[in-house]
C-alpha cells in the first residue's frame, strides 16, 4: 500500500500540471467552441522560452517565467485573433484542422531550433522532501498541487461571480443571443484565449523539470489534458482539476505495475474512450450558421490524361539518377498517405489523426512477417495491407458513436496508443537496430530499392496510380454518393435507407488500406526498418498538407506528394538552399493564412480553370463524364399499407413530449398533424421514423410491430421522411441527391466501386418525381444555388424518389409564398391519389392543411386533443377553444370563418418539442 501511495503522490504533481493545461482548454472551448489541439504546443512555447532564458542566457527564474508565460499568451491570442475569429462560419472540423496546423508549426519549429534531443531542465522549486505515513513527499509536488488548486478556485470564482464570467457563460450557452444582448463575443473569446494560453505557458514552465523537453512530447501534452477536460465535460473547473489528478495518478501507477512499454502514455486515451464511447456522450459541439466542409471535386476520368500522367512519371524515373528515383519514391509514398486522407476526411467527413500510425502498422506487419516468417515480399506486403485495413476499421469503430471533433480526439489518442504500445516496444520492433528485411523481389525480379531504385520507383508509381483511379472511381460511384450524403447529413442519409455505419467503416477501411500500402512501401525502401517516424505529429503533417492543397480532390494528394519533405520540389530547392526542414512550417503557416478565405484548398481554385480547358478538348479526349441517364418517367402506385402509432409516450430530459399519443395513416390518404409550438408534432414523426424510441406504446407497419427496427430498416421498408430544415446534401447536385435516394443499397458495390463505378441512372420513380416537381432544368445545379421554394421541392422529390409507401412531411410549406403553397397542395394530392402514398403532414399553414387533408390529428402538450375527419375536427369545440379562444360552436374551416366573420385558425410560428 505504501508503494501505491508513493506513486500516487508522484502522479498528483504531474496531474496538477495536466489540470492547468485542461483549464485552458476549458476556457477556450467555453468562449469560442474550439477544441484547441495546439494547446500542448503552446505550453511548449512557454517551456522552451523559459529553458532558453534561464539556462542559456542566465535570466533569473521569475523574469524568465513571466516572459515565457507572455510568449505563450501572444501565440494563443494571435491564433484567435488572426485565424479562429475568421473561421467563425466554418465547420468545427475546419477549426480543429486550423489548431492542428498551429501544432505542426510549433513542433517543427522546435525541432529546427532545438532538435529532437531531450532537454533537461533543473527545477527552481524546492526539491527537499519529508516523510508522512511512510510516503516520501517532495515539496515541489506540494507546491504544484497548491498552485493548481488555487488557480482552479480563482477561475471558478471569477467565472461564477463576475460580469465577465457571466458573459463567458452566456456565450457558451448561445453565442447569437449573447451578441444580441450586447456581449462582444470576439472580446470574450480573445480574453479567454489569452488566459487559457497563459495557463498553458505556466504549465509548460512548471512541467519542464518533471519531464524532459522534446518538441513532440510537449505537443502531445494535449492528450492527457483533453482527458482531464473531458472529465469536467469541458465546462467544470473543479472536475477538470480532479480529472488532471486522476490521469496523473493513473499514469504514475501504470509505470510501476505494468512493465510493458507504452501503457502509461496511452492511459489518457483509455480515459477518453471510456468517457466518450462507452457512456455514449459526445463533446457538446456548439451550432454555427452555414457550416460547410471543404468542397469535393467531381473527377472526370479521361484516358488521355491518365496515359499522359503515367508517361510523365515513367519519364522522370527513367531519365533521372538513382538519387532522384529515391526522391520520386518518397513523393509517391507520401501522396498515397494523403490519398487516404482525401477519402476518409474529404469524401466521408471523418477527421482521422492516425493515418501515419496506420501506415506504420502496415510497415510493422509486413516487415515482421518478412523477417520472422521469411514470407516472400508480395505475400508479406499483401498481409501487411490487409492487417492495416483491419486495424483501420477498428480505429473507425468510434465513428459509429462520435463524429467531427470528438472523432479527431479519439483518433489522436489511438495514434498515440499505436506509437507508444507497438512502436515503442523494442522486443517487437527490434529496438534501435530496427527490423532487418530481405531484398524485395516480384516473380524472381529484384526490385531492391538500393540496387534498383528505378524499379522500386516504378512499383510505387503503379501502386499510386491504381490507388488514385480507385479513389476517383469511388467518388463517381453510388458508394461515393453515400459517403458524401453521410458527410453532409447523417440524419437525412439514414432517413433514405443509407447505412451510416457501413459508409463510415468502409471509408476508414479503404483509407487505412491505402495508408498501410504506403507503410509497406516505406518499410522496404530501406533494408533496415525503424518505426520512430510513424508518429501522431506526422499524421497531423499529412492532414495539414492535404487540406492546404484541397482535401476534397484526388489531385491534391499528388500535389502534396510532390511538395512533401524529401519530395521532388524540396529536393530541387535543396540543391540551392536547404529548405527540407522548413516545408512543414511553411505549409502550416500557409494553411493558417489561407484557410479562412480559401477553405477548399489550392486544387479547388484550379478546378474551374482545368474544367475550362477540358471542355475545349475533342470529345474523344474528354472520357466519361459520369452523367446520369434517366429512365422513363413511370409513375407507379406503391404497395398499400397502414402505419400506426398507439399510446406513445416519450420524454426528453424530464420534459414530457408525448403522452399517450397516437396516429394512423393508410395508403392514398393525407392525415394532418397540427398543434401549437411544443405540442410534440415532430417528436411523433421521430417516433414513427425511428429517430426516437418511445418509453411506452408501439408503432406498427401493416400490422407488424416495428419498435425495434432501425431508422435504415424503416426507410427501406417504405417509411419516407422530409425534415423541417430541409437537410439536403449540399455537396451533391440535385441529380445526385435524387440518385442517393433511389439507388439500391447492396453491399457488393463497396467491393466493385474502386474497379468500376457504374453508370448512374435515375430510377423510374425518381425520373417521374423530376417530371412531377418540374426539376428537369435544375438537375445539374447545386442545392445552394436554388431558391428556397425550389429547395423545398427538391427535398420532397428526394423523399418520393425512394418510393416510400408512407411519407412523413415536416412543414413542407415553410418559406413558400401563396402561389407556391397552392402548387404544393396540388402535388400532395397527386402523390396520395395517383401514387398511392400515405402522407402525414405537419404544417402550420392551416389553409393548406384544411384543403388537402382527409383526416386531422390535433396535439396539445403532447396529448391528443382531437382526431377525425377534417370537417369534424374543424368544428370541434375543444380545438376552437384551445387554439383561437372562439366560442363553442364556431367552425374554423374557411367556410365557417366566412359565415361567422371569424378568421381561420392562424398559422402558428414554427417550433416543436424535440
Amino acid at each position: 500500500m505504501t508503494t501505491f501511495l508513493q506513486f500516487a503522490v508522484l502522479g498528483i504533481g504531474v496531474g496538477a500540471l495536466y489540470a492547468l493545461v485542461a483549464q485552458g482548454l476549458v476556457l477556450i472551448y467555453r468562449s469560442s467552441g474550439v477544441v484547441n489541439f495546439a494547446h500542448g504546443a503552446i505550453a511548449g512555447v512557454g517551456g522552451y522560452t523559459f529553458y532558453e532564458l534561464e539556462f542559456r542566457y542566465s535570466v533569473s527564474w521569475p523574469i524568465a517565467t513571466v516572459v515565457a508565460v507572455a510568449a505563450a499568451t501572444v501565440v494563443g491570442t494571435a491564433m484567435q485573433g488572426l485565424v479562429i475569429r475568421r473561421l467563425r462560419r466554418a465547420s468545427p472540423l475546419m477549426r480543429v484542422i486550423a489548431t492542428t496546423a498551429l501544432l505542426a508549426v510549433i513542433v517543427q519549429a522546435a525541432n529546427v531550433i532545438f532538435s529532437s534531443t531531450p532537454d533537461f531542465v533543473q527545477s527552481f522549486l524546492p526539491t527537499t522532501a519529508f516523510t508522512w505515513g511512510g510516503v516520501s513527499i517532495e515539496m515541489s509536488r506540494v507546491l504544484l498541487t497548491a498552485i493548481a488548486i488555487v488557480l482552479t478556485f480563482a477561475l471558478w470564482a471569477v467565472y461564477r461571480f463576475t460580469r465577465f464570467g457571466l458573459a463567458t457563460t452566456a456565450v457558451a450557452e448561445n453565442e447569437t443571443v449573447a451578441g444580441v444582448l450586447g456581449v462582444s463575443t470576439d472580446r470574450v473569446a480573445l480574453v479567454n484565449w489569452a488566459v487559457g494560453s497563459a495557463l498553458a505557458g505556466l504549465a509548460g514552465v512548471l512541467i519542464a523539470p518533471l519531464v524532459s523537453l522534446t518538441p513532440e512530447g510537449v505537443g502531445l501534452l494535449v492528450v492527457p489534458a483533453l482527458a482531464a477536460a473531458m472529465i469536467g465535460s469541458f465546462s467544470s473547473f473543479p472536475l477538470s482539476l480532479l480529472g488532471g489528478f486522476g490521469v496523473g495518478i493513473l499514469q504514475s501507477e501504470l509505470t510501476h505495475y505494468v512493465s510493458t512499454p507504452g501503457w502509461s502514455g496511452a492511459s489518457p486515451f483509455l480515459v477518453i474512450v471510456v468517457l466518450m464511447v462507452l457512456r455514449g456522450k459526445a463533446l457538446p459541439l456548439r451550432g454555427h450558421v452555414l457550416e460547410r466542409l471543404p468542397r469535393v471535386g467531381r473527377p472526370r476520368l479521361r484516358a488521355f490524361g491518365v496515359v499522359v500522367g503515367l508517361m510523365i512519371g515513367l519519364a522522370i524515373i527513367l531519365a533521372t539518377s538513382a538519387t532522384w528515383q529515391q526522391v520520386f519514391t518518397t513523393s509517391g509514398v507520401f501522396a498515397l498517405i494523403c490519398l487516404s486522407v482525401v477519402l476518409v476526411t474529404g469524401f466521408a467527413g471523418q477527421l482521422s489523426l492516425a493515418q501515419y500510425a496506420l501506415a506504420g502498422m502496415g510497415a510493422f506487419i509486413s516487415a515482421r512477417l518478412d523477417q520472422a516468417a521469411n514470407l516472400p515480399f508480395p505475400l508479406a506486403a499483401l498481409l501487411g495491407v490487409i492487417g492495416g485495413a483491419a486495424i483501420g476499421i477498428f480505429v473507425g469503430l468510434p465513428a459509429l458513436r462520435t463524429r467531427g471533433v470528438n472523432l479527431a480526439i479519439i483518433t489522436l489518442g489511438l495514434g498515440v496508443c499505436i506509437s507508444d504500445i507497438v512502436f515503442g516496444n523494442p522486443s517487437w520492433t527490434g529496438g534501435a537496430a530496427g527490423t532487418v528485411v530481405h531484398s524485395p523481389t516480384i516473380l524472381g525480379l529484384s526490385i531492391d530499392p538500393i540496387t534498383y531504385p528505378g524499379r522500386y520507383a516504378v512499383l510505387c508509381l503503379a501502386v499510386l496510380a491504381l490507388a488514385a483511379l480507385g479513389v476517383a472511381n469511388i467518388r463517381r460511384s453510388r458508394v461515393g454518393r453515400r459517403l458524401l450524403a453521410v458527410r453532409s447529413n447523417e440524419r437525412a442519409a439514414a432517413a433514405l435507407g443509407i447505412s451510416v455505419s457501413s459508409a463510415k467503416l468502409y471509408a476508414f477501411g479503404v483509407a487505412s488500406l491505402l495508408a498501410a500500402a504506403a507503410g509497406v512501401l516505406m518499410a522496404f525502401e530501406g533494408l533496415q526498418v525503424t518505426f520512430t517516424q510513424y508518429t501522431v505529429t506526422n499524421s497531423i503533417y499529412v492532414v495539414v498538407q492535404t487540406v492546404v492543397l484541397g482535401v476534397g480532390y484526388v489531385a491534391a494528394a499528388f500535389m502534396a506528394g510532390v511538395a512533401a519533405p524529401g519530395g521532388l520540389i524540396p529536393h530541387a530547392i535543396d540543391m540551392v538552399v536547404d529548405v527540407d526542414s522548413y516545408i512543414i512550417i511553411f505549409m502550416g503557416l500557409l494553411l493558417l493564412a489561407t484557410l479562412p478565405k480559401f477553405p477548399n484548398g489550392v486544387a479547388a481554385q484550379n478546378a474551374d480553370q482545368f474544367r475550362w480547358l477540358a471542355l475545349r478538348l475533342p470529345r474523344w479526349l474528354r472520357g466519361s463524364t459520369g452523367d446520369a441517364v434517366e429512365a422513363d418517367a413511370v409513375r407507379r402506385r406503391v404497395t398499400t399499407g397502414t402505419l400506426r402509432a398507439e399510446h406513445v409516450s416519450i420524454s426528453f430530459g424530464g420534459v414530457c413530449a408525448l403522452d399517450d399519443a397516437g396516429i394512423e395513416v393508410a395508403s392514398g390518404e393525407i392525415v394532418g398533424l397540427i398543434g401549437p409550438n411544443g405540442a410534440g408534432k415532430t417528436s411523433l414523426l421521430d417516433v414513427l421514423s425511428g429517430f426516437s424510441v418511445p418509453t411506452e406504446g408501439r408503432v406498427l407497419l401493416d400490422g407488424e410491430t416495428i419498435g425495434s427496427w432501425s431508422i435504415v430498416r424503416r426507410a427501406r421498408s417504405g417509411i419516407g421522411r422530409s425534415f423541417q430544415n430541409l437537410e439536403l446534401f449540399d455537396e451533391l447536385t440535385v441529380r445526385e441527391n435524387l440518385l442517393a435516394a433511389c439507388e439500391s443499397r447492396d453491399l457488393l458495390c463497396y467491393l466493385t466501386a474502386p474497379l468500376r463505378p457504374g453508370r448512374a441512372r435515375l430510377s423510374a420513380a425518381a425520373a417521374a418525381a423530376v417530371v412531377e416537381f418540374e426539376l428537369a432544368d435544375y438537375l445539374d445545379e447545386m442545392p445552394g444555388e436554388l431558391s428556397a421554394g425550389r429547395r423545398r421541392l427538391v427535398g420532397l422529390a428526394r423523399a418520393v424518389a425512394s418510393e416510400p409507401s408512407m411519407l412523413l412531411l415536416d412543414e413542407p410549406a415553410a418559406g413558400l409564398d401563396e402561389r407556391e403553397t397552392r402548387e404544393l397542395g396540388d402535388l400532395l394530392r397527386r402523390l396520395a391519389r395517383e401514387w398511392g402514398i400515405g402522407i402525414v403532414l405537419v404544417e402550420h399553414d392551416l389553409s393548406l392543411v384544411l384543403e388537402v387533408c382527409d383526416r386531422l390529428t390535433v396535439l396539445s402538450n403532447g396529448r391528443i386533443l382531437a382526431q377525425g375527419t377534417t370537417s369534424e375536427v374543424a368544428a370541434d369545440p375543444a380545438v376552437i377553444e384551445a387554439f383561437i379562444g372562439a366560442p363553442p360552436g364556431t367552425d374554423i374551416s374557411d367556410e365557417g370563418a366566412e359565415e361567422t366573420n371569424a378568421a381561420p385558425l392562424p398559422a402558428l410560428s414554427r417550433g416543436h418539442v424535440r
Side-chain angles (χ1 to χ4, degrees):
M1 187 62 181
T2 301
T3 303
F4 178 85
L5 292 176
Q6 182 66 68
F7 278 90
V9 169
L10 294 175
I12 286 177
V14 177
L17 300 179
Y18 291 163
L20 285 183
V21 181
Q23 308 292 26
L25 285 172
V26 171
L27 283 176
I28 290 172
Y29 180 79
R30 280 164 56 100
S31 64
S32 59
V34 176
V35 178
N36 182 18
F37 280 71
H39 209 60
I42 293 175
V45 170
Y48 273 111
T49 302
F50 178 83
Y51 171 79
E52 281 288 291
L53 291 176
E54 185 178 22
F55 296 100
R56 291 185 183 267
Y57 297 101
S58 301
V59 177
S60 62
W61 70 262
I63 296 177
T65 300
V66 171
V67 174
V69 172
T73 304
V74 168
V75 172
T77 51
M79 180 65 181
Q80 199 285 326
L82 300 178
V83 180
I84 298 299
R85 185 178 63 84
R86 297 166 63 201
L87 290 173
R88 167 179 323 201
R89 301 298 184 189
S91 69
L93 195 64
M94 299 311 295
R95 294 195 291 274
V96 164
I97 290 174
T99 65
T100 61
L102 178 61
L103 167 61
V105 168
I106 294 175
V107 169
Q108 185 60 19
N111 275 317
V112 171
I113 298 172
F114 303 104
S115 81
S116 59
T117 305
D119 292 311
F120 297 92
V121 180
Q122 184 178 356
S123 176
F124 59 85
L125 296 177
T127 57
T128 57
F130 62 93
T131 302
W132 185 55
V135 177
S136 177
I137 303 175
E138 194 174 286
M139 279 300 300
S140 61
R141 312 280 172 162
V142 176
L143 292 175
L144 291 175
T145 304
I147 290 171
I149 292 174
V150 169
L151 287 177
T152 298
F153 176 78
L155 289 171
W156 174 82
V158 168
Y159 285 86
R160 181 70 179 271
F161 300 111
T162 66
R163 290 175 58 88
F164 179 77
L166 295 177
T168 301
T169 302
V171 171
E173 290 292 331
N174 193 309
E175 185 176 359
T176 302
V177 173
V180 171
L181 294 176
V183 176
S184 174
T185 56
D186 287 341
R187 185 180 299 116
V188 167
L190 189 66
V191 172
N192 279 284
W193 269 80
V195 176
S197 300
L199 290 173
L202 178 60
V205 171
L206 296 175
I207 205 171
L210 301 183
V211 296
S212 58
L213 283 177
T214 63
E216 185 169 349
V218 294
L220 294 181
L221 181 62
V222 71
V223 176
L226 281 171
M230 292 189 69
I231 291 174
S233 299
F234 275 81
S235 59
S236 171
F237 297 118
L239 289 180
S240 297
L241 174 68
L242 296 178
F245 287 153
V247 171
I249 292 172
L250 178 62
Q251 283 188 320
S252 182
E253 298 294 350
L254 287 176
T255 58
H256 176 70
Y257 291 103
V258 179
S259 58
T260 305
W263 284 101
S264 175
S267 58
F269 166 72
L270 301 178
V271 175
I272 291 173
V273 168
V274 169
L275 293 174
M276 190 176 287
V277 177
L278 297 186
R279 77 181 182 184
K281 183 178 180 181
L283 180 65
L285 297 178
R286 180 182 303 165
H288 283 257
V289 179
L290 300 178
E291 292 182 347
R292 293 289 297 274
L293 290 169
R295 199 170 73 199
V296 176
R298 284 176 282 174
R300 301 288 188 260
L301 292 184
R302 303 172 181 89
F304 176 78
V306 172
V307 171
V308 169
L310 288 174
M311 290 178 63
I312 292 174
L314 285 172
I316 293 175
I317 294 171
L318 297 177
T320 54
S321 64
T323 300
W324 277 99
Q325 290 168 349
Q326 292 170 347
V327 170
F328 187 93
T329 297
T330 300
S331 286
V333 168
F334 193 87
L336 196 54
I337 302 178
C338 292
L339 199 59
S340 75
V341 176
V342 169
L343 179 59
V344 72
T345 303
F347 293 177
Q350 310 299 307
L351 178 58
S352 171
L353 298 180
Q355 292 308 107
Y356 223 92
L358 292 172
M361 288 306 301
F364 174 78
I365 294 171
S366 59
R368 298 305 294 175
L369 288 174
D370 176 270
Q371 182 193 59
N374 289 318
L375 293 183
F377 168 72
L379 183 57
L382 177 62
L383 294 177
V385 169
I386 294 174
I391 294 171
I393 292 175
F394 173 78
V395 170
L397 286 176
L400 306 184
R401 299 288 299 274
T402 60
R403 61 191 58 83
V405 177
N406 311 293
L407 183 61
I409 293 173
I410 289 185
T411 56
L412 176 71
L414 278 168
V416 171
C417 282
I418 293 173
S419 180
D420 288 353
I421 297 175
V422 179
F423 304 147
N425 191 329
S427 62
W428 292 354
T429 63
T435 298
V436 179
V437 297
H438 299 94
S439 176
T441 60
I442 297 178
L443 299 176
L445 177 67
S446 175
I447 54 170
D448 186 288
I450 307 299
T451 308
Y452 304 104
R455 295 179 183 178
Y456 200 78
V458 170
L459 173 66
C460 291
L461 175 63
V463 172
L464 177 60
L466 289 174
L469 287 173
V471 172
N473 282 339
I474 288 173
R475 168 62 185 92
R476 297 166 61 229
S477 71
R478 60 179 178 268
V479 171
R481 287 185 283 275
R482 292 180 195 176
L483 294 180
L484 288 173
V486 170
R487 163 189 134 131
S488 180
N489 194 305
E490 292 182 19
R491 281 170 51 88
L496 292 175
I498 297 174
S499 173
V500 174
S501 58
S502 296
K504 287 183 175 182
L505 291 181
Y506 178 80
F508 269 98
V510 176
S512 301
L513 184 147
L514 298 175
V520 170
L521 294 173
M522 275 193 286
F524 287 86
E525 190 176 0
L527 300 183
Q528 186 176 8
V529 186
T530 58
F531 299 92
T532 55
Q533 61 181 315
Y534 301 108
T535 62
V536 171
T537 50
N538 278 336
S539 293
I540 292 173
Y541 297 158
V542 168
V543 171
V544 168
Q545 199 142 334
T546 309
V547 172
V548 165
L549 297 170
V551 73
Y553 291 79
V554 173
F558 289 88
M559 297 161 64
V562 170
L568 292 170
I569 292 178
H571 183 74
I573 299 175
D574 276 346
M575 299 174 67
V576 179
V577 59
D578 182 15
V579 299
D580 204 48
S581 299
Y582 299 91
I583 291 296
I584 294 170
I585 299 175
F586 171 76
M587 284 294 181
L589 292 175
L590 181 63
L591 177 62
L592 292 174
T594 60
L595 189 60
K597 190 172 183 179
F598 303 107
N600 300 315
V602 175
Q605 300 302 311
N606 297 332
D608 292 337
Q609 288 83 351
F610 283 122
R611 191 176 299 113
W612 179 89
L613 178 62
L615 290 175
R616 280 150 181 80
L617 293 174
R619 182 175 296 276
W620 65 273
L621 290 178
R622 299 180 194 175
S624 171
T625 62
D627 290 339
V629 178
E630 286 73 35
D632 293 333
V634 179
R635 182 186 302 158
R636 295 177 297 196
R637 288 188 67 86
V638 301
T639 305
T640 59
T642 302
L643 177 64
R644 183 168 70 253
E646 298 177 342
H647 309 294
V648 170
S649 297
I650 190 170
S651 299
F652 300 102
V655 177
C656 180
L658 294 172
D659 183 12
D660 196 32
I663 194 172
E664 180 176 351
V665 59
S667 298
E669 71 169 342
I670 304 177
V671 177
L673 180 59
I674 62 174
N677 286 352
K681 303 181 295 298
T682 298
S683 296
L684 187 52
L685 293 190
D686 286 343
V687 169
L688 291 171
S689 55
F691 285 94
S692 296
V693 179
T695 53
E696 296 180 13
R698 60 177 184 163
V699 179
L700 302 96
L701 179 63
D702 299 335
E704 181 179 359
T705 301
I706 62 172
S708 61
W709 290 13
S710 66
I711 301 168
V712 171
R713 184 177 178 185
R714 297 188 196 202
R716 294 180 182 178
S717 298
I719 301 177
R721 170 80 188 268
S722 77
F723 294 90
Q724 187 177 7
N725 297 320
L726 285 181
E727 307 197 12
L728 297 175
F729 306 134
D730 288 332
E731 291 301 329
L732 297 176
T733 63
V734 172
R735 185 195 311 272
E736 289 177 315
N737 268 271
L738 298 176
L739 285 168
C742 70
E743 289 173 323
S744 64
R745 307 300 180 208
D746 61 302
L747 297 177
L748 181 62
C749 67
Y750 284 118
L751 297 177
T752 61
L755 306 175
R756 186 174 180 274
R759 190 72 167 172
R761 186 179 180 87
L762 290 177
S763 67
V770 170
V771 175
E772 191 74 60
F773 291 87
E774 300 179 357
L775 297 175
D777 295 335
Y778 306 95
L779 288 178
D780 295 320
E781 301 289 332
M782 304 300 290
E785 298 170 351
L786 304 178
S787 66
R790 191 67 59 183
R791 285 170 58 87
R792 287 279 170 190
L793 293 179
V794 172
L796 286 173
R798 188 182 67 182
V800 171
S802 62
E803 299 186 63
S805 57
M806 302 294 165
L807 187 56
L808 314 178
L809 302 180
D810 198 350
E811 299 192 29
L816 303 185
D817 59 28
E818 185 176 351
R819 179 186 59 82
E820 292 171 329
T821 300
R822 188 166 53 253
E823 293 175 352
L824 174 63
D826 294 337
L827 281 172
L828 296 181
R829 278 193 292 264
R830 289 201 298 273
L831 291 177
R833 306 297 182 256
E834 299 175 14
W835 295 57
I837 299 175
I839 299 175
V840 176
L841 175 63
V842 172
E843 183 54 63
H844 286 307
D845 188 335
L846 265 295
S847 61
L848 174 64
V849 171
L850 296 173
E851 181 182 359
V852 304
C853 291
D854 302 300
R855 294 187 293 111
L856 292 180
T857 294
V858 183
L859 287 178
S860 179
N861 296 322
R863 298 182 64 87
I864 298 296
L865 183 64
Q867 280 183 322
T869 65
T870 300
S871 58
E872 292 172 346
V873 173
D876 190 304
V879 175
I880 297 169
E881 182 69 23
F883 288 104
I884 62 174
T890 303
D891 188 346
I892 67 169
S893 66
D894 290 337
E895 293 81 2
E898 293 174 359
E899 293 175 1
T900 61
N901 295 322
L905 187 63
L908 305 176
S909 60
R910 285 179 288 167
H912 50 78
V913 175
R914 298 224 23 139

